[in-house]
Amino acid sequence: MGLCHILLLFLCLGSAQSGARGTSQDPQELMNTMEIMASSKTKGRKLPIQSVVKVIRGLEKSLLNISLQGSTRTFRTNRIQSAALDLFCTNFTGLSLPTDQPSHAMGFPAELTRGACRARPRTLRLICVYFFMSDFFQTASNTSLLNNYVLGAQLGHEHVSGLREPVDIRFSHNQSLEGYTATCVFWKEKDNPQSWGEWSPEGCVTELPSPVQVRCRCYHLSYFAVLMQLAPAPVEVLEPLVYISIVGCSISIVSSLATALLHFRTRKQGESLASIHMNLHGSVLLLNVSFLLSPVLARPQGSDAGCRVLGAVLHCALLSCFSWMAIEGFNLCILLGRVYNSYFRHYVLKLCVVGWGLPAFLVLLVLSISDSAYGCYTVPFSDSQGSGSTLRNASMCWVRSAEVRAVLVTGYGCVTCLFNLVVLGWALRVLRRLRAREQELGARARRDVVTVLGLTVLLGTTWILGFFSFGVFLVPQLFLFTIINSLYGFFLFLWFYCRRYHSEAKAKAEMEMETASTSRIIQ
């Protein structure tokens, strides 16, 4: 941004502050100031929060106090439109206000003025502010709004909520919205150093009269917009998925604890392979426990701080699980490449630094950058009703930042799965060679390779299902992914038990052979 733009922005902010302190500034001047502020900001950066709040409050105050030439007065700039109207208690039967943009409008019910008029009949001032940009409503998660339009309304100094008849807000788009989820939201103000509010769907119902139109029916007054997301799964799958997750994760928790008990009862010193497996079980156990607790703390009566902490723990557990998967693949490479002759000093300790230390470092790094990156995260599910569509949401404590999810969830998991697939392909080639030379190396090498290869297949293939969450694959993938990965700890327990069983059977067979050989020598 050039020096002239910086000076101009400071002048605009000073003007906005003076407008917020008094009522003499004309709404048109404030709207021009807001246009310059939005045009002068550096690309990719947000406007100063205090300046945004002051200029918006100044505009609202100016519209509430300006004298009208008749019963209505409107103001326009390129990307902002505002209007001030006087409503009379005696004859208000409802109102519909269009905008400068085609097919966008707000409709107000007759009930809007009843509460204020019941206390003291008088003339009420209704103000409407339409933003055809989202620069003044930036959130920490950088949400995407339909057309970047924000439509707002305020009735005098009254706080209007709990209406029995909804305010009707209509948004349109020039292309079909199929493949996306449109959620009606309102601006919920809060005290946050990174944003002066957040978008919330509370008190609003979303309807889709046509593929290019969204209808919001909200029971209060505020600033409204349409939040755009990728199309979710139908609401019919929500309840069975929840039950499958609860049952599967509970079974996995019990299985992981049983595996740990068996390991500590039969462990031997110096078993690095068993220690790696136990660390994987530990990460899966932490992941399942934190996942089951996540929806509980995400409830409205839950603690925001507790939900942020649990979201960070859940993210760390998932990254640890991915890390130990990759370590299993790496250890398989060492095992097959060096053929049982590998030794590294403090090998397991170094792996623990990667498996536990790296995820913890990444989560702490995210928290140091933005403490609002974790918290209550809403997962939408579509509910088709006739010609319209509404949404039901499932909440959990999770990563709220889209950038963090893209890099440190999807990206991290994708790298892990690709690495294990490469290892799997290489291991298959080695296994084929071992089978060809089985007489030379014996059955022991073959069984050990098959065992470790089976673990790698289990680790690599199940999480790949997560990358097929689109189109016709969405619902089948959700069920397969939920069933297989919620029982992940149980499958690892079966593998661990089978491995122990074969080891004990082998040791017993060798002992019997040695006893029989000794008996023959004695005879």
Side-chain angles (χ1 to χ4, degrees):
M1 184 164 50
L3 179 61
C4 293
H5 281 165
I6 295 176
L7 293 175
L8 186 58
L9 180 57
F10 275 111
L11 289 174
C12 293
L13 296 181
S15 176
Q17 293 174 9
S18 64
R21 289 190 294 265
T23 61
S24 60
Q25 192 167 7
D26 186 77
Q28 188 67 49
E29 296 178 8
L30 282 168
M31 291 164 58
N32 291 333
T33 299
M34 298 170 78
E35 285 277 4
I36 298 173
M37 289 174 60
S39 302
S40 303
K41 76 180 184 70
T42 304
K43 184 178 181 181
R45 301 193 64 179
K46 300 176 182 178
L47 292 170
I49 297 175
Q50 293 182 349
S51 301
V52 168
V53 175
K54 286 181 180 180
V55 74
I56 290 181
R57 292 288 178 260
L59 177 60
E60 294 171 349
K61 191 173 183 180
S62 179
L63 289 170
L64 287 173
N65 291 279
I66 195 171
S67 60
L68 303 186
Q69 301 170 355
S71 60
T72 305
R73 191 170 179 183
T74 60
F75 306 89
R76 291 179 177 84
T77 63
N78 292 334
R79 293 180 292 176
I80 306 175
Q81 177 184 351
S82 64
L85 309 91
D86 282 339
L87 307 181
F88 302 97
C89 291
T90 55
N91 59 355
F92 182 72
T93 59
L95 179 66
S96 179
L97 291 178
T99 71
D100 286 344
Q101 305 297 326
S103 304
H104 289 72
M106 295 187 72
F108 303 93
E111 185 195 0
L112 182 68
T113 61
R114 288 176 186 169
C117 292
R118 189 180 298 114
R120 181 169 61 89
R122 63 190 188 278
T123 301
L124 301 173
R125 174 66 58 85
L126 175 67
I127 64 171
C128 298
V129 184
Y130 304 151
F131 292 91
F132 306 123
M133 57 179 171
S134 58
D135 300 86
F136 293 90
F137 298 89
Q138 294 294 313
T139 62
S141 56
N142 292 324
T143 51
S144 177
L145 303 180
L146 178 63
N147 299 328
N148 285 328
Y149 287 176
V150 179
L151 310 184
Q154 179 179 336
L155 183 64
H157 298 283
E158 305 286 336
H159 176 68
V160 180
S161 62
L163 296 172
R164 289 175 295 178
E165 301 175 22
V167 178
D168 192 358
I169 312 107
R170 295 179 181 268
F171 296 85
S172 293
H173 195 54
N174 56 3
Q175 296 180 0
S176 175
L177 300 177
E178 294 180 359
Y180 292 90
T181 298
T183 308
C184 293
V185 291
F186 80 98
W187 187 251
K188 186 176 183 179
E189 296 183 24
K190 64 176 184 178
D191 186 14
N192 189 304
Q194 297 187 358
S195 175
W196 66 289
E198 62 183 0
W199 293 112
S200 172
E202 299 172 8
C204 289
V205 177
T206 306
E207 298 180 357
L208 302 176
S210 71
V212 296
Q213 190 177 52
V214 181
R215 183 182 183 185
C216 301
R217 299 169 65 85
C218 302
Y219 295 83
H220 57 280
L221 291 184
S222 180
Y223 289 99
F224 302 99
V226 176
L227 188 66
M228 299 302 297
Q229 297 172 301
L230 291 176
V235 73
E236 291 81 9
V237 307
L238 175 59
E239 188 172 351
L241 286 176
V242 170
Y243 285 130
I244 292 172
S245 299
I246 293 175
V247 173
C249 290
S250 301
I251 293 175
S252 290
I253 291 173
V254 175
S255 301
S256 296
L257 294 174
T259 305
L261 181 62
L262 287 174
H263 169 70
F264 288 115
R265 286 185 58 185
T266 60
R267 66 175 177 173
K268 299 177 182 179
Q269 295 295 329
E271 286 189 338
S272 61
L273 186 61
S275 298
I276 294 173
H277 298 334
M278 286 303 102
N279 277 282
L280 176 61
H281 277 284
S283 65
V284 173
L285 176 62
L286 180 61
L287 178 63
N288 286 321
V289 172
S290 55
F291 180 79
L292 289 181
L293 293 176
S294 177
V296 178
L297 289 186
R299 294 173 181 173
Q301 61 270 26
S303 168
D304 291 340
C307 190
R308 284 196 296 270
V309 172
L310 184 58
V313 172
L314 179 58
H315 188 206
C316 184
L318 180 63
L319 294 181
S320 296
C321 193
F322 284 146
S323 298
W324 284 107
M325 289 179 193
I327 289 173
E328 290 281 5
F330 171 77
N331 193 65
L332 177 60
C333 292
I334 298 297
L335 179 65
L336 295 180
R338 296 188 175 235
V339 191
Y340 309 107
N341 293 323
S342 59
Y343 173 77
F344 298 96
R345 185 177 177 84
H346 304 304
Y347 181 54
V348 177
L349 179 61
K350 293 175 182 178
L351 294 180
C352 286
V353 172
V354 177
W356 296 107
L358 178 61
F361 171 76
L362 293 175
V363 171
L364 291 175
L365 180 63
V366 171
L367 286 172
S368 65
I369 296 174
S370 173
D371 59 352
S372 62
Y374 300 100
C376 184
Y377 176 71
T378 301
V379 183
F381 287 81
S382 62
D383 187 7
S384 298
Q385 298 178 347
S387 60
S389 177
T390 59
L391 290 174
R392 283 182 56 189
N393 297 321
S395 298
M396 62 181 295
C397 299
W398 181 229
V399 184
R400 298 181 59 189
S401 172
E403 291 82 2
V404 175
R405 289 198 304 271
V407 176
L408 292 182
V409 177
T410 305
Y412 204 97
C414 183
V415 170
T416 300
C417 291
L418 288 177
F419 174 73
N420 278 346
L421 284 176
V422 172
V423 172
L424 176 61
W426 178 69
L428 287 173
R429 293 184 58 188
V430 175
L431 178 60
R432 185 161 42 177
R433 291 200 214 112
L434 288 177
R435 284 179 175 175
R437 297 185 301 169
E438 186 175 347
Q439 297 300 324
E440 300 177 20
L441 298 181
R444 175 186 174 187
R446 179 174 176 272
R447 281 198 300 267
D448 287 345
V449 172
V450 170
T451 300
V452 181
L453 182 61
L455 178 62
T456 305
V457 172
L458 183 62
L459 296 179
T461 58
T462 57
W463 292 87
I464 294 175
L465 293 171
F467 298 102
F468 293 91
S469 305
F470 58 87
V472 296
F473 301 105
L474 178 60
V475 175
Q477 175 272 341
L478 283 175
F479 279 96
L480 283 175
F481 185 86
T482 304
I483 292 171
I484 295 175
N485 290 304
S486 65
L487 293 171
Y488 199 67
F490 175 69
F491 293 146
L492 289 177
F493 166 77
L494 292 179
W495 175 87
F496 179 84
Y497 179 79
C498 292
R499 181 172 174 270
R500 286 290 179 184
Y501 175 80
H502 286 299
S503 298
E504 293 175 359
K506 179 183 176 181
K508 184 178 180 180
E510 290 178 351
M511 184 175 295
E512 290 177 352
M513 290 179 61
E514 184 177 350
T515 303
S517 176
T518 304
S519 299
R520 285 196 298 268
I521 293 174
I522 294 175
Q523 292 175 358

